[in-house]
Amino acid sequence: MEYDVVIGIEIHCELKTKSKMFSSSPVSFGQTANSCVNEIDLGHPGTMPCVNKGAVEQAIKACTALHLEIDPVLKFDRKNYYYADLPKGFQITQQFYPIGKNGYIEIETSKGKKKVRINRIHMEEDTAKQFHLNDGTLIDFNRAGTPLIEIVSEPDMTNGEEAAAYVEALRQTLYYLGVSDVKMEEGSMRCDVNISLMPKGATEYGVKNEIKNLNSISNVQKAIDFEISRQSKILDEGGIIEQATRRFDEATKSTILMRLKEGNVDYKFFPEPNIVPIRLENAWIKQIQDSLPELPEARKNRYAVEYGLSAYDINVLIANKELSEFYEEIMKTCKNAKLACNWTITELQAWLSKNNITLQECKAKPQDIAEMVNMIENGIISGKQAKEVFEDVMKGSSPSKIVEEKGLKQVSDTSLIEALIKETLDEQPQSIEDYRNGKDRAVGFLVGQVMKKSKGQANPAMTNQMIVEELNKRIK
């Protein structure tokens, strides 16, 4: 039987702030367990929450970039949740009045662009982190109280590819905004996927299963693809899908049952009594919105128009904000956008990977790479010579100084190249005969011989053209 697949995604994203959502404790990652907490995080009696203005500002940026309507009245609710990772026995969230609602984001799929609606964005505090051992559970409260936004999509996705594209589009947008590190491997961005199947053409949704805490975009797609297959098989065999929470196992590339659900949990939400409603000034909201940086979609369009790059090149650059900004610095003094792009996304990234360092750690300056690319463009050095120059540029040296010291300047003197060509042809009569018989590879061989004689300094393109001209004279 054919099925329609219905997918909705909830994304929890930690906001990039110095302190927590309702306390002055520092936000940190990788610090000593329970070293970044205070009385509010630990739920001590008599402590009062205080809203983090910076977190609200970050949430407004996210809402604006994702086209959501912003509620100018900030209200919080209490979610009663008695569990070890919430010491005070409840979570402060925004159940009834989210800061933003009714937005969307456009994603790129193999079938073209698609708009995925966003139901809401609400603010809340994160829980503590638990470490389950064989003989007990350890809790680190450093994460407790970290500011979060939860982004809830509408069930607009129909396969793993679309879901992965949606998560990647959100990740890029939030990253460019600077509202979050969006490091899924560190837990600063976490995905819960809801998926259900229904007979083709049906209007009533099937029973959903939730896949919790997916920690990479590739795992989002793999988990969904597996779950579609699993649920399809059960339905084809006449079985019933039970509402459940599952997790993705990377080793087996499958989803594993965590627990069954018998309906929605009643968290007994009610307005948070310790935080009065806060009216946000329209001028303040507008000031935040007017200061948004350039977003990925706008940058993609600009690269296509301003630099004439291909969709592939643009996507590679945009996927890495630091790399994109490095390329922009190169282009401030570089003439050839495509050539600069090739060196940036291929040679530069390969060198960083080979040497196991980040772009921020390398000593190369964008203007030096621009100078090197201009040297290639102007025929001062060849592409082959540039590879040798590039190695030293990546160590912090100046291209012009490298070319001067190593004698790498490309020879474009036609009289000198002509003399080398005639000398080579006189030594290689068989190559002339091969060319006469239509064997074009003879030209490449002769170019190589001239390059040897010039110690690699002859202009390859000019040499190739002049050899062909000389050969045509000799075979007449």
Side-chain angles (χ1 to χ4, degrees), residues 53-67:
K53 183 179 179 180
V56 178
E57 182 176 347
Q58 302 288 48
I60 291 172
K61 289 180 181 179
C63 288
T64 303
L66 298 173
H67 313 99

Side-chain angles (χ1 to χ4, degrees), residues 1-5 196-206 235:
M1 182 183 290
E2 287 190 63
Y3 300 99
D4 285 329
V5 180
S196 66
L197 273 61
M198 58 185 181
K200 196 78 174 176
T203 56
E204 185 176 343
Y205 289 162
L235 294 172

Side-chain angles (χ1 to χ4, degrees), residues 138-190:
L138 301 178
I139 303 178
D140 179 6
F141 287 100
N142 281 351
R143 196 178 72 182
T146 297
L148 288 179
I149 51 172
E150 183 172 347
I151 306 170
V152 183
S153 82
E154 295 288 1
D156 288 349
M157 290 155 279
T158 61
N159 55 50
E161 180 204 1
E162 290 181 359
Y166 170 77
V167 176
E168 173 59 15
L170 277 183
R171 188 199 69 81
Q172 280 191 8
T173 299
L174 297 172
Y175 183 43
Y176 273 74
L177 282 173
V179 304
S180 173
D181 290 332
V182 292
K183 294 179 180 177
M184 297 184 75
E185 70 280 5
E186 293 183 3
S188 60
M189 181 172 169
R190 310 191 291 275

Side-chain angles (χ1 to χ4, degrees), residues 3 18 33 149 207 254 305 316 318 364 377 440 447 464 472:
Y3 300 99
K18 292 181 180 179
I149 51 172
V207 176
S254 64
V305 173
V316 173
I318 296 298
E377 176 75 3
D440 291 339
V447 170
N464 188 89
N472 287 333

